[in-house]
Amino acid sequence: MSFTDNFIKKQKLTLSAKRAIFSISKYEVMFKKLILFLLISILFINCKNANITVLSSSNVADIINNEFTGDLAFNTASFVEKYWRVVGNTGFNKSIYKIAEELEKSGFVLEENATENDILTYRIEKRPLKNPTWESVNAIVKIEGKNDTLLQHATNRNMIALNSYSTPKDGVSAEVIYVRDLEKIADLDVKGKIVFAETSPYGIYKSAIIEGKAVGIITYNNPSYLQPEKNTTSIQFRSIPLDTVNKSWAIAMSFAAKERLKASLEKGKTTLKVHIKTNIYPSEELTIVADIKGSEMPGERLVFSAHIQEPGANDNATGVGLALEMASLTAKFIKQQQYEPKRTLTFLWGDEIISTQRYVQEDSIRAKYINWGISLDMVGEDTEKTGGTFLIEKMPDPSAIWTRGNDKHTEWGGSKMKLEQMKPHYLNDFLIDKFKQQGKRANWIVGTNPFEGGSDHVPFLRQNIPSVLFWHFTDQFYHTDNDRIDKVSKTTLKNVGTTALIAAYTLLNADKKVAKSILLNLETAAVSRLNEEFKQSKIAINNGDSLSTQIEIITAWKDWYQKSFTTTSGLFSDEKVINNDIEKSQKLIDSISSVIIKELQKKN
């Protein structure tokens, strides 16, 4: 019997008094239950938090390696690669809204609904497109008199050149004129015919369509690095000018289709039956930006950029998916109070180069405080299938001028640069070091290439923002319709995403200790580089190259690293703390380069 029950039994109370006491008893029980619930909740939370480890420099690599699965990146790439994506078209826009949906699942709040306390926000920027968008629907090409098709969209979705208009509903039947010498196309009667040439359709559009009045173009020009005689069905996507007057079309061919057409032409007059269906319509440009706000320096930021347009899986559905998983995992760490970035981490998805260029140009104050930019482009390759290697394309350094030793340009190629175009900074060697560590940990090959350009790192560099490109090359399926999800590796996505986050978290929370560590790593890299260049210079002199050129190369690398040392002071507010260390590193490199030059002079 409880105290209350005993009390009531012993006392002679009125009914109303008894009711009051029972009421008090009821609230007493409820209060006790509430206290018990709170105690259990606190105990549960404490037990849960006991299994959550705060990220630090000593454990960040282990935790991210355990948490980053590559699943969301791969699944998102699978969704995106289903569509032939051009800014403003159905596939591009569906990809944008898929990203938004996943961001919200991860806890991101639409910017217009966010409060000052929301750390995770995103926005979708909408702008009218100057030109209409385009999408392929269907196409079939047959050689008249043959039962089977020469090409069909169902198996070669790159066959229709971008900006092509539809043929009439019943298709077009026309004789094929093979133009072997492009300079003599003006001498040929191609009016009402289909021009066949082994070149880009864009390059002959004016002479064939506008001037020659051809009904259409069919071309072949797959580069050798695609191994076309092996990958006989691959078609690398092509484009023609948007022509609202002639409303013409072009077809790109695979190696197999090209050989069949040439064989038919050798036998005599060849007529093609062509059906094309495309959609060309006004639309808007969408860009999606997700911000993870820094707690101490929110104006400063690191930006990961991934372009959505282009029709492939590796290029660039993988970049889209990787950025999304990186953003989602970071959101998870923040919600679990495992990680708090001091600077802002931004993810940008849009139209290649255009969206990034706008981001760094539209807001001069925002651009001023972008500390780093990284392009995620072709980041998920199954290298056993594609033949590519993961590469960090470096910011412009002297290897883009004097490419020798282990430095090699890819088949994509790069133009010769000048010393005034160099971008001395610690970012190159900092990232190379992080990725080499992951490579060793995961038995994963990591390479580098000199600056070549052509992706979202370029707009950052034009604004003097340190930036690199993460990508793969050579890829035998690059820009072809065989760049499908079966060429994507979840393991590669995991390795790239894991290391990118490790590097990002380090930079976002960089302090004096991190700055000194980066400086020490940079000094080691500088010594290694000068020793390698000394070796290459001795080989060059033995092969008859001039001493003056070798001295110029050694001096260029010395200057590049000495200037790179100074950039580490921007990692924290009190620059004076690290200035002495910077001066020591500069003196060391100056001394080594002087010794190298003297040794070269002795050998000459």
Side-chain angles (χ1 to χ4, degrees):
M1 184 179 293
S2 70
F3 167 80
T4 306
D5 293 334
N6 190 48
F7 178 80
I8 292 172
K9 184 178 180 181
K10 290 182 178 179
Q11 305 297 323
K12 294 180 179 179
L13 299 176
T14 63
L15 181 60
S16 60
K18 289 179 181 179
R19 286 175 178 172
I21 289 172
F22 275 116
S23 179
I24 292 170
S25 174
K26 181 176 70 173
Y27 286 118
E28 179 185 22
V29 172
M30 289 176 62
F31 180 73
K32 286 180 179 178
K33 287 182 178 179
L34 179 61
I35 292 296
L36 181 61
F37 173 77
L38 290 173
L39 288 171
I40 293 171
S41 299
I42 292 168
L43 182 62
F44 174 77
I45 292 169
N46 286 338
C47 289
K48 187 177 180 182
N49 287 340
N51 295 321
I52 294 176
T53 305
V54 175
L55 275 69
S56 66
S57 58
S58 62
N59 65 24
V60 64
D62 290 334
I63 292 175
I64 297 179
N65 265 284
N66 289 334
E67 292 286 337
F68 201 107
T69 65
D71 290 338
L72 180 57
F74 186 87
N75 292 338
T76 304
S78 298
F79 175 89
V80 173
E81 70 98 29
K82 292 185 296 185
Y83 302 101
W84 212 107
R85 307 172 305 278
V86 176
V87 63
N89 77 1
T90 302
F92 189 101
N93 292 348
K94 282 188 175 182
S95 298
I96 287 280
Y97 288 110
K98 175 66 173 177
I99 294 164
E101 176 187 337
E102 294 295 336
L103 286 173
E104 291 203 355
K105 287 181 184 177
S106 300
F108 284 81
V109 179
L110 190 62
E111 211 170 78
E112 61 192 56
N113 299 328
T115 68
E116 290 185 1
N117 295 324
D118 286 312
I119 297 172
L120 309 170
T121 61
Y122 80 96
R123 66 180 179 275
I124 298 176
E125 300 176 352
K126 300 180 180 182
R127 298 172 179 85
L129 274 175
K130 181 180 179 182
N131 295 318
T133 191
W134 180 91
E135 59 195 20
S136 61
V137 179
N138 200 12
I140 296 176
V141 178
K142 290 186 175 183
I143 299 175
E144 289 199 348
K146 304 287 185 181
N147 292 326
D148 57 338
T149 59
L150 181 66
L151 287 169
Q152 57 183 336
H153 188 265
T155 53
N156 281 111
R157 69 179 192 172
N158 283 4
M159 64 181 285
I160 312 173
L162 173 65
N163 292 326
S164 292
Y165 278 80
S166 300
T167 58
K169 187 176 180 181
D170 294 331
V172 170
S173 291
E175 180 186 354
V176 178
I177 302 296
Y178 185 14
V179 180
R180 292 177 173 84
D181 187 346
L182 299 177
E183 294 182 359
K184 295 182 179 179
I185 190 171
D187 301 330
L188 300 174
D189 179 15
V190 299
K191 185 176 181 180
K193 299 180 174 66
I194 298 172
V195 169
F196 165 43
E198 294 185 62
T199 187
S200 162
Y202 202 100
I204 61 168
Y205 188 85
K206 182 180 178 183
S207 56
I209 301 295
I210 298 176
E211 297 171 355
K213 304 301 180 184
V215 70
I217 302 170
I218 189 164
T219 65
Y220 171 82
N221 66 325
N222 280 357
S224 60
Y225 63 76
L226 295 180
Q227 304 179 46
E229 294 185 28
K230 170 188 171 186
N231 302 310
T232 59
T233 64
S234 288
I235 298 178
Q236 195 169 59
F237 78 82
R238 296 289 179 248
S239 66
I240 57 176
L242 180 65
D243 186 348
T244 58
V245 176
N246 294 289
K247 296 184 177 180
S248 196
W249 48 266
I251 294 290
M253 287 190 291
S254 65
F255 179 85
K258 181 259 298 184
E259 290 296 298
R260 282 189 61 199
L261 181 58
K262 288 177 74 172
S264 179
L265 286 164
E266 286 175 3
K267 294 177 182 178
K269 180 179 176 180
T270 298
T271 299
L272 291 181
K273 181 74 172 181
V274 181
H275 287 85
I276 298 174
K277 172 62 178 172
T278 65
N279 291 328
I280 300 176
Y281 53 95
S283 187
E284 59 185 355
E285 177 192 348
L286 302 181
T287 303
I288 187 163
V289 182
D291 285 322
I292 300 172
K293 188 164 63 177
S295 60
E296 295 181 16
M297 296 161 278
E300 296 185 28
R301 70 185 67 225
L302 186 156
V303 181
F304 283 104
S305 185
H307 64 89
I308 296 173
Q309 108 297 337
E310 290 190 323
N314 276 307
D315 193 8
N316 183 36
T318 54
V320 173
L322 190 72
L324 183 58
E325 183 162 345
M326 289 165 65
S328 298
L329 182 56
T330 304
K332 176 184 175 181
F333 286 147
I334 287 172
K335 288 188 290 183
Q336 293 182 166
Q337 298 181 347
Q338 289 180 269
Y339 175 67
E340 182 180 81
K342 295 178 181 178
R343 297 169 178 88
T344 295
L345 179 57
T346 296
F347 294 90
L348 171 67
W349 296 267
D351 194 12
E352 187 174 20
I353 297 179
I354 292 172
S355 294
T356 308
Q357 184 168 285
R358 183 184 294 112
Y359 187 83
V360 300
Q361 288 182 347
E362 275 189 345
D363 188 330
S364 59
I365 296 175
R366 178 176 65 197
K368 182 180 178 181
Y369 295 103
I370 299 174
N371 293 0
W372 315 273
I374 295 175
S375 174
L376 303 172
D377 190 353
M378 300 171 63
V379 289
E381 302 210 0
D382 184 335
T383 55
E384 291 186 3
K385 294 179 180 179
T386 66
T389 299
F390 174 76
L391 296 170
I392 300 172
E393 181 167 307
K394 300 182 291 180
M395 293 175 60
D397 68 9
S399 69
I401 303 174
W402 300 283
T403 308
R404 58 188 192 171
N406 293 325
D407 289 312
K408 290 180 176 63
H409 277 292
T410 71
E411 286 83 352
W412 202 91
S415 58
K416 202 82 171 182
M417 302 190 76
K418 300 177 181 179
L419 281 173
E420 54 266 29
Q421 294 176 288
M422 299 298 96
K423 303 286 186 183
H425 201 271
Y426 61 78
L427 188 62
N428 279 355
D429 288 295
F430 168 75
L431 291 173
I432 291 168
D433 179 61
K434 293 296 183 188
F435 275 83
K436 290 290 185 182
Q437 288 180 37
Q438 182 70 12
K440 186 176 180 180
R441 175 180 186 137
N443 193 26
W444 173 48
I445 297 174
V446 173
T448 68
N449 67 278
F451 177 77
E452 295 176 349
S455 192
D456 282 315
H457 56 318
V458 174
F460 290 114
L461 291 169
R462 285 176 183 160
Q463 296 295 116
N464 290 317
I465 298 167
S467 184
V468 301
L469 166 67
F470 296 160
W471 72 315
H472 283 78
F473 224 67
T474 300
D475 177 351
Q476 61 182 309
F477 304 110
Y478 172 65
H479 278 183
T480 75
D481 40 24
N482 277 320
D483 177 15
R484 302 265 59 84
I485 196 66
D486 63 300
K487 313 301 190 306
V488 175
S489 163
K490 191 184 294 185
T491 301
T492 302
L493 287 167
K494 173 182 170 60
N495 279 326
V496 179
T498 292
T499 321
L501 279 186
I502 292 168
Y505 291 2
T506 303
L507 293 174
L508 291 168
N509 285 6
D511 53 15
K512 179 178 66 176
K513 183 179 178 181
V514 169
K516 289 193 173 188
S517 173
I518 290 175
L519 178 60
L520 182 61
N521 173 64
L522 196 59
E523 182 185 288
T524 302
V527 172
S528 177
R529 170 59 71 169
L530 286 174
N531 285 329
E532 174 62 25
E533 293 302 326
F534 180 34
K535 174 184 170 184
Q536 295 301 323
S537 288
K538 286 189 290 185
I539 294 171
I541 289 173
N542 289 336
N543 290 334
D545 287 356
S546 69
L547 173 64
S548 61
T549 298
Q550 306 316 308
I551 292 175
E552 184 182 9
I553 295 171
I554 299 299
T555 303
W557 277 109
K558 178 201 73 173
D559 292 344
W560 193 88
Y561 271 106
Q562 286 190 328
K563 290 174 183 174
S564 295
F565 293 150
T566 64
T567 62
T568 59
S569 64
L571 285 163
F572 60 102
S573 57
D574 189 0
E575 297 180 7
K576 295 179 182 179
V577 174
I578 201 172
N579 282 346
N580 288 337
D581 298 288
I582 290 172
E583 288 176 8
K584 288 178 183 177
S585 295
Q586 288 175 329
K587 287 178 181 178
L588 174 65
I589 298 308
D590 188 60
S591 174
I592 292 173
S593 63
S594 296
V595 170
I596 288 173
I597 290 171
K598 287 177 183 178
E599 287 297 315
L600 291 175
Q601 288 170 334
K602 287 179 185 178
K603 292 180 179 294
N604 196 46

